Amino acid sequence: MIRTAKPEDVPAIVAMIRELAAYEKAEHEAEATEGHIRRALFCESPAAFAHIAETDGRAEGFALWFLNFSTWRGVHGIYLEDLYVRPEARGRGHGKALLAELARLCAERGYGRLDWSVLDWNTPSIDFYKWLGAVPMDEWTGYRLTGAPLSRLASEAAGPEAAERPV
């Protein structure tokens, strides 16, 4: 069964985030606490959303997503930040069901696309996504600013001359 996440799902979501980080060999990067996830998903105006794959009351997978926007199409889309199914629950259709629910939301709300990223070495997921009909965005390279480079760039905008600088 796929359902919208509830506040009581936060501990399971955080546990699965940690499991996903371990699978992706990046456990040291998973800093989110239950407080972070609870605030992100259940504040007055949430910017992130989650769905749970559940069997007999046990959370076996999750999809955490947020809205993006296509300037070319002029409509929102969904960006799937994380899709994870616990190893013992794989092969039961949870991943497909979570993606199908997000696709349903896109169709129902008039969103133009469903986007996500996958690590190059994660061939089981890549094969699954291709089987669904998803296409890789081979012409695009993702970039990220974090840590010291992000802080350094932010401090440039905070200076008194920032208002005079052209954008």
Side-chain angles (χ1 to χ4, degrees):
M1 172 177 97
I2 304 302
R3 62 172 177 77
T4 303
K6 300 180 282 196
E8 54 268 25
D9 294 315
V10 169
I13 292 170
V14 171
M16 288 187 283
I17 288 170
R18 300 229 182 283
E19 292 168 25
L20 174 60
Y23 174 75
E24 292 184 351
K25 302 169 181 53
E27 204 166 6
H28 62 284
E29 295 179 36
E31 299 174 0
T33 65
E34 288 185 16
H36 291 126
I37 301 302
R38 188 176 318 287
R39 280 188 300 277
L41 297 177
F42 302 107
C43 66
E44 188 174 319
S45 297
F49 309 92
H51 283 79
I52 300 293
E54 179 180 78
T55 302
D56 298 326
R58 178 174 166 19
E60 295 190 318
F62 79 106
L64 196 142
W65 58 277
F66 54 89
L67 292 179
N68 59 17
F69 186 80
S70 170
T71 56
W72 291 9
R73 291 184 171 198
V75 296
H76 283 290
I78 287 178
Y79 186 85
L80 175 60
E81 178 66 21
D82 285 330
L83 174 69
Y84 179 74
V85 175
R86 289 184 154 140
E88 65 274 13
R90 292 182 187 153
R92 296 185 200 158
H94 293 312
K96 182 179 180 186
L98 285 162
L99 285 169
E101 176 60 14
L102 297 185
R104 186 192 68 75
L105 288 174
C106 286
E108 175 183 278
R109 298 175 183 181
Y111 299 163
R113 62 188 186 198
L114 173 56
D115 294 315
W116 65 91
S117 297
V118 61
L119 290 166
D120 291 341
W121 56 260
N122 191 347
T123 53
S125 293
I126 292 168
D127 292 344
F128 170 64
Y129 299 145
K130 286 181 178 178
W131 177 78
L132 288 174
V135 294
M137 302 294 291
D138 292 337
E139 296 176 2
W140 294 84
T141 300
Y143 283 87
R144 176 176 293 153
L145 275 176
T146 187
L150 178 63
S151 296
R152 196 168 38 253
L153 187 58
S155 69
E156 288 185 27
E161 72 281 358
E164 301 170 2
R165 232 178 285 145
V167 177

